[in-house]
Structures are given as C-alpha cells and as structure tokens.
Amino acid sequence: MAAVLAMVARGCGGVWRRLRQRCAVRPGSGPFPRGERAVACNARGGMMSAGKSGLTPWIPVVGLEIHAQISSNSKLFSGSQVQFAAPPNSLVSFFDASLPGTLPVLNRRCVEAAVMTGLALNCHINKKSLFDRKHYFYADLPAGYQITQQRVPIAVNGSLSYSLCIDNKMSQMVTKTVRIKQIQLEQDSGKSLHDDARSQTLVDLNRAGVGLMELVMEPDMCCGEEAAAAVRELQLILQTLGSSQAVMAEGQLRVDANVSVHHPGEPYGVRTEVKNINSIRFLAKAVDYEIQRQIEELGNGGTISNETRAFDSKLGCTVPMRDKEGKQDYRFMPEPNLPPLILYDAKSLPANMNHQQVINIDWIRERLPDLPSVKREKLVEQYGILPEHSFTLLNEDGLPEFFENVVKQTQMKPKKVIGWILNDLLSYLKQHSLTVKESPVSSFLLADLLNLLEKKEISSTAAKQVLATSLSAFPHTCKQARDLIALLLCYVEMLVTKWDGTEDAAVTEKNWCLQGF
C-alpha cells in the first residue's frame, strides 16, 4: 500500500521539478521568495514540502468548470443553424436577438446529448430539472440574462477517471479520479470583436444561443498536469459519444480553472478563476503559474483577491480581468417561459405515452458506445500492445482505425506494426502538423510495405527508405505521395519477382534502385 501511495503522490512531481529548474538560482530571486522555492518545487501529490526552510507546506487545490458546445444542427432554444466561421450575424433568429415577444423552444438533441454525457460520466440523471435566468450585462448578451440550470441541473454526482504519467514517463502511469458536481444545459453568448485601430467593438451574435453543457468538477486536482490530463480524457469521451466535437481551437471546449492554496489542516484559501482557456497545453501552464503566483504573494505577506484572471499565452502568465462576481450579483430567478424538463426511464414511462415525444434515459444508456478506457483495454487485450501505446493511439483521431486496418492486411505482428506507426508515421505527421486522415500513406500501402519486410523480400533499411521517401517527397500533395509509394512498392515487387541472385544481392540492388528516387 505504501508503494502504491508513493506512486500516486509522485503524479505531479515532474511538473514541480521542472518549475524548480526554471527558477533563478540567485537567493530571493525568481518566482518564489527565499525559502519558498523549496516549498513549491518539492511537491508530491499536491503537498509541497517545506524542505530545510522550516516553513509550513502548501497544498494547491484546482477545480475546473468546462463549457462544451453541444454537437447540434440548431441552437438550444431556436431553430437557427450552428456553423463555425459563418459570416457575422448571418445565423441569428428573432429569439437570439432577444426581440420582444419571442419565446424559447427546447432542442431535443441538446437534451439527449447532455443525458448521454452524464451517463458516460457516471452521473445521476435528474428526471426533473429546472431552467433559470442568470442576469449579467455583456454587450454580446442581448437579453441581459442567460438561460441556465442553477437550481436543479440535468445531471449530478458523477466522476471522471484519467491517467497521469509519472515524471513524464509513459511507461509509468497512475489513474486518478475527479468528481463531477453537476452538468447543466445553458446558452452561449455572442462574440465581441475589438477593433483597436478604430477604438470600437463589433458584436457577432452567430454564437448567441448555441447549446452548451457546463461540467463543474470538484476541486480534486493539485497541479496543471492533472487538470490537463482530466480535460484531455473528457475531450476524448465527448468526441466518442458525439455529444460535442470538442475542438478547442474553434471554441467548442473552453475551460475555467479555479485555483487556491492552503496549509494542511486549514480551510481552502481564497480562489482565483482563470477564464476561457482554449488549449490543454495552456491550461497546464496557467494553473501552474497561478499556483506559483499565489504562494509567492502569500509568502510575501500579501493576500489573494477573489478575482477573475486571464492567461496570456505570449507572456506565460495570468493577468487580472475583474473582481469575481458573487451569486447574489447574478439575481438568479426561475425561467418563466420554460416548464420543468421531465425525463423518463423504463419504469416510469407511461404505457400510453408516445415514445417520440419523450426522452428515455434507459434507451440512451443502452446505446452508449465503448468509452476510451474500454477501447484501450480492448486494444491491449486483442493485440498485445503496451498500455502506453494504447493511450497514444486513442489520443490521435483516426489512429486506432488506421492501426487496426494495417494489422488486418499484414502478416506482421501487431507489436511490430505499432512501432512503425508510432515511431515513423506518427512522428512525421506531427512534424508537419498533419492529421491521420491527411496522411500521404494509407493503411493499405503501409501494410503492403510491411508484408514485403515480413517476408524478408526487402530489408528494414529499404522499408524505412520507401516510407521516408513517400512521406517527404510531396508533403503538401497527399495524392502524389500515395502514387509515389504505390510506384515504389510495384518496383520493389518487380525486382523481387525477377531477381535470380542471392537474397543479400537482391536487397543491395533494391536499395541501389531506391537511391535513384
């Protein structure tokens, strides 16, 4: 048990060790005052040892609020189309613009997506949930309030398990769990476009009214590395379910991080909220910086303000935005234009009810796909690959299918195939910012190449030359690259068929021919 606890505690050790390396060695300089550098950098599982300084250790606490855009053709309460990068204000209904007399009509698809997500995250689905108005003024919020679920959300009391590398080693991983407090349906706001050159702000209401799921995570994490791992696992789950495309670059998954620090045995410290983080890498950096900043501030005798901050990715730091608004400022009230949302299960569904007009929780539960954790287990069990390789496969969209297609078409063992895909193909795709779907080499062509290698008709060196040549010859024209590798494979096949010499001589000749390309 002690060994297991030690491994779990080391989960965030790597990030604090790297923070120590970035600190200045000059006494009293850097992001921490004298004596506290050891406090922050010797963290194990969140508790940062005071070391020789004798100071009381700090415990960082991190909670997340995540807004996921629901994958739906229309908005949450109107029939307006949802489309990324559409011309400004081209997808705005009368209700989205908050014209007098317009009423909300709930989108069935959004409710089903929220129920599906709640079930996948082990939540209790409330058969009766309520909508509320949350009042605040933004120029891109025409109604002056947002319709949300503050009192009784659609799902509560869930959990999310995620895996974390120890000291950045994929071969050493621990599994941790973060509690999900609630999932609620709500509207998105519009978008303000600031024109500094003309000192004006333009408003685009295309996004106003788009359906969101807000997932509130309990403060169970202790560093940026844990927060990033949890969000990445959630992103994979949402994409697997199809409830959200969760593309952070398009604003479909946005994270607010609540960060505080405190001493052991004391209540949680005053928290700050870092808003609208749209990158997993930036999330890790923002959380770690904010923990450092708070420890430094408190160590110097200062206090932490309950405020909203933003992460400046260029400077690598958080900057203040505004004082944190309390719940009383929002003036929550029941939404008068929407009745309670009633859901059913197999037991509570009335016999004479039209199934097309209700949402059946059990019906959705039965149709849940395999989640990423289950897919990883199946990959390891079916193909005998290492668990860390299953994580790499699942982290790349389309890569598991690519791997399985190659395995089906080649005689090479899956353990060898995974090496070619991860070490040769995937490394090239990442270097050139290509997705698996944009790969110049198809699974069919890679399988042909590996078959020749497995039959010892070409050497490993020759196979790597063919793959490298096909990948690098036309990096911007995938069709030409595919044609090239097909040509190379045909030429190698021809040499294998017609060559009458020894195997070594044949390989030498084939290598010589490849050099001509």
Side-chain angles (χ1 to χ4, degrees):
M1 177 62 72
V4 173
L5 291 175
M7 287 186 65
V8 174
R10 290 170 57 198
C12 287
V15 64
W16 295 109
R17 187 159 42 258
R18 291 191 291 276
L19 292 176
R20 177 180 58 190
Q21 293 169 355
R22 290 199 294 267
C23 292
V25 297
R26 188 171 64 255
S29 65
F32 298 99
R34 181 191 299 270
E36 287 202 33
R37 188 175 297 109
V39 174
C41 300
N42 293 330
R44 292 295 182 269
M47 182 175 291
M48 293 171 279
S49 171
K52 297 180 181 180
S53 64
L55 296 177
T56 306
W58 293 101
I59 299 179
V61 178
V62 180
L64 301 178
E65 297 174 9
I66 302 169
H67 292 86
Q69 179 178 316
I70 298 173
S71 182
S72 172
N73 293 327
S74 56
K75 297 182 180 181
L76 182 58
F77 296 118
S78 78
S80 297
Q81 184 181 356
V82 176
Q83 179 184 337
F84 178 70
N89 296 309
S90 61
L91 305 175
V92 185
S93 70
F94 291 154
F95 177 79
D96 301 331
S98 192
L99 296 186
T102 56
L103 295 173
V105 178
L106 184 58
N107 184 334
R108 178 191 179 99
R109 160 61 187 166
C110 293
V111 177
E112 291 175 338
V115 171
M116 188 184 305
T117 303
L119 292 173
L121 295 175
N122 310 302
C123 291
H124 168 73
I125 306 299
N126 285 323
K127 294 180 184 177
K128 179 180 179 180
S129 57
L130 305 173
F131 288 97
D132 305 283
R133 288 186 181 183
K134 177 182 179 181
H135 294 84
Y136 57 94
F137 175 77
Y138 281 158
D140 48 26
L141 190 69
Y145 62 84
Q146 174 193 46
I147 300 179
T148 182
Q149 293 187 306
Q150 188 262 345
R151 291 173 297 162
V152 185
I154 194 168
V156 295
N157 301 332
S159 63
L160 170 66
S161 296
Y162 61 96
S163 294
L164 191 69
C165 298
I166 298 178
D167 296 339
N168 256 2
K169 296 178 181 178
M170 285 293 291
S171 58
Q172 300 181 31
M173 306 189 76
V174 294
T175 299
K176 296 193 174 186
T177 301
V178 57
R179 292 169 296 158
I180 307 292
K181 180 181 178 182
Q182 65 188 54
I183 301 175
Q184 59 196 48
L185 286 167
E186 63 184 29
Q187 298 170 296
D188 204 349
S189 59
K191 185 176 181 181
S192 295
L193 306 172
H194 304 289
D195 187 348
D196 294 333
R198 300 181 181 180
S199 299
Q200 62 182 7
T201 296
L202 306 176
V203 175
D204 180 8
L205 294 180
N206 281 348
R207 204 174 65 184
V210 169
L212 298 178
M213 292 179 289
E214 181 178 358
L215 298 94
V216 182
M217 294 185 177
E218 298 283 7
D220 296 337
M221 294 160 283
C222 65
C223 66
E225 204 168 357
E226 286 192 6
V231 171
R232 177 54 181 155
E233 185 69 13
L234 175 64
Q235 185 181 40
L236 289 174
I237 291 173
L238 294 174
Q239 292 170 343
T240 299
L241 297 173
S243 57
S244 174
Q245 295 178 9
V247 180
M248 300 191 80
E250 296 182 4
Q252 296 174 357
L253 193 68
R254 307 191 296 272
V255 184
D256 302 336
N258 294 293
V259 181
S260 67
V261 297
H262 68 282
H263 292 307
E266 295 182 356
Y268 286 172
V270 177
R271 69 182 183 183
T272 59
E273 183 179 26
V274 186
K275 294 282 289 184
N276 291 331
I277 306 171
N278 61 357
S279 159
I280 292 178
R281 182 165 57 92
F282 291 163
L283 171 63
K285 291 183 176 181
V287 169
D288 289 336
Y289 176 87
E290 186 60 21
I291 292 172
Q292 293 179 61
R293 186 191 70 83
Q294 292 189 20
I295 292 175
E296 177 185 6
E297 183 70 26
L298 294 171
N300 289 333
T303 58
I304 301 300
S305 300
N306 186 13
E307 62 181 354
T308 300
R309 301 177 71 88
F311 179 69
D312 189 320
S313 58
K314 295 180 180 178
L315 298 177
C317 65
T318 63
V319 294
M321 291 176 61
R322 60 181 180 271
D323 290 338
K324 183 66 179 170
E325 297 166 295
K327 285 187 177 180
Q328 65 277 7
D329 295 331
Y330 293 127
R331 303 190 312 282
F332 283 103
M333 61 170 282
E335 169 54 56
N337 294 323
L338 285 170
L341 174 59
I342 305 298
L343 306 178
Y344 297 89
D345 57 17
K347 294 181 179 179
S348 62
L349 185 64
N352 58 349
M353 181 73 70
N354 185 346
H355 291 197
Q356 300 296 325
Q357 296 180 351
V358 299
I359 292 178
N360 188 332
I361 300 171
D362 291 332
W363 186 88
I364 296 175
R365 191 195 311 272
E366 291 170 0
R367 286 156 179 79
L368 286 178
D370 286 342
L371 297 180
S373 58
V374 176
K375 289 183 178 180
R376 294 188 193 102
E377 292 175 1
K378 288 185 176 180
L379 286 170
V380 172
E381 181 179 349
Q382 183 174 353
Y383 298 109
I385 62 176
L386 296 175
E388 55 264 30
H389 289 163
S390 69
F391 276 89
T392 306
L393 286 177
L394 264 294
N395 279 339
E396 302 296 330
D397 184 29
L399 195 58
E401 294 78 13
F402 188 99
F403 166 72
E404 291 182 313
N405 288 337
V406 174
V407 170
K408 290 176 183 177
Q409 300 172 72
T410 184
Q411 300 172 4
M412 182 177 284
K413 293 182 178 180
K415 288 185 178 181
K416 292 184 179 180
V417 173
I418 195 72
W420 281 84
I421 290 179
L422 299 186
N423 298 332
D424 296 277
L425 178 67
L426 185 60
S427 60
Y428 174 86
L429 296 179
K430 286 185 173 294
Q431 288 174 6
H432 293 82
S433 300
L434 295 175
T435 64
V436 175
K437 294 180 181 179
E438 297 170 331
S439 171
V441 178
S442 68
S443 59
F444 174 78
L445 293 175
L446 181 58
D448 275 355
L449 180 63
L450 297 183
N451 277 332
L452 291 174
L453 176 60
E454 189 67 13
K455 295 175 184 177
K456 298 184 179 179
E457 294 178 351
I458 61 173
S459 68
S460 178
T461 303
K464 287 183 179 293
Q465 285 180 335
V466 171
L467 185 60
T469 302
S470 63
L471 288 171
S472 60
F474 301 103
H476 301 296
T477 311
C478 294
K479 183 179 183 303
Q480 289 178 303
R482 294 190 186 102
D483 293 343
L484 173 64
I485 191 172
L487 175 63
L488 289 172
L489 286 171
C490 289
Y491 196 70
V492 170
E493 292 267 22
M494 180 185 68
L495 288 173
V496 170
T497 302
K498 294 185 176 182
W499 188 265
D500 295 324
T502 64
E503 180 179 319
D504 290 341
V507 170
T508 301
E509 174 66 15
K510 281 170 256 179
N511 286 342
W512 175 82
C513 292
L514 286 172
Q515 290 176 3
F517 288 91

